[in-house]
Amino acid sequence: MQRHAVIVAGGAGQRMGRSVPKQFLELDGKPILMYTLEQFYMFDSSIDMVLVLPQDYVSYWKILIQQYHFIIPHRIVDGGKHRFFSVQNGLKEIEPTGVVAVHDAVR
């Protein structure tokens, strides 16, 4: 059975009071978001990961991938105006079979 993970990282992190959303903040040498993807990959390296990001941060994420030599396979999807629409965008990108986990990127 195919496993899918829709990882929603669309938040702006305004409550943190930082210039970038919290999913991109560095913790112990790398962005928090990379830890999240690594955990899913360690659980099942064949899992189909869809990462939902704010459109304005897709290019920033791609820079981080290169900077940190991050090689875990995943697809990137633009987020929506609200969490509901971000999850919906992620779900549209997966095959309608198997099991789906929807996970907040920073929890």
Side-chain angles (χ1 to χ4, degrees):
M1 178 182 317
Q2 178 64 49
R3 292 178 173 161
H4 308 276
V6 175
I7 300 168
V8 185
Q14 293 173 341
R15 289 177 294 194
M16 293 288 290
R18 301 289 183 103
S19 60
V20 296
K22 61 187 169 190
Q23 60 266 34
F24 303 115
L25 295 178
E26 189 174 295
L27 177 66
D28 198 24
K30 63 185 164 191
I32 293 170
L33 185 51
M34 291 182 181
Y35 288 102
T36 303
L37 273 71
E38 287 174 346
Q39 290 301 309
F40 277 96
Y41 186 78
M42 287 190 302
F43 171 71
D44 180 354
S45 62
S46 70
I47 199 164
D48 172 37
M49 285 191 273
V50 176
L51 177 60
V52 184
L53 295 172
Q55 186 177 12
D56 294 345
Y57 282 94
V58 170
S59 60
Y60 182 65
W61 175 246
K62 290 179 180 180
I63 291 168
L64 291 175
I65 288 171
Q66 291 177 0
Q67 180 180 344
Y68 289 88
H69 308 287
F70 190 73
I71 59 170
I72 292 179
H74 62 283
R75 292 180 282 144
I76 301 170
V77 175
D78 289 341
K81 185 173 181 178
H82 299 286
R83 176 174 282 307
F84 172 86
F85 298 111
S86 293
V87 172
Q88 184 179 52
N89 290 351
L91 290 172
K92 286 179 184 177
E93 292 296 314
I94 63 172
E95 295 294 323
T97 59
V99 177
V100 179
V102 177
H103 185 70
D104 181 289
V106 188
R107 301 287 187 289

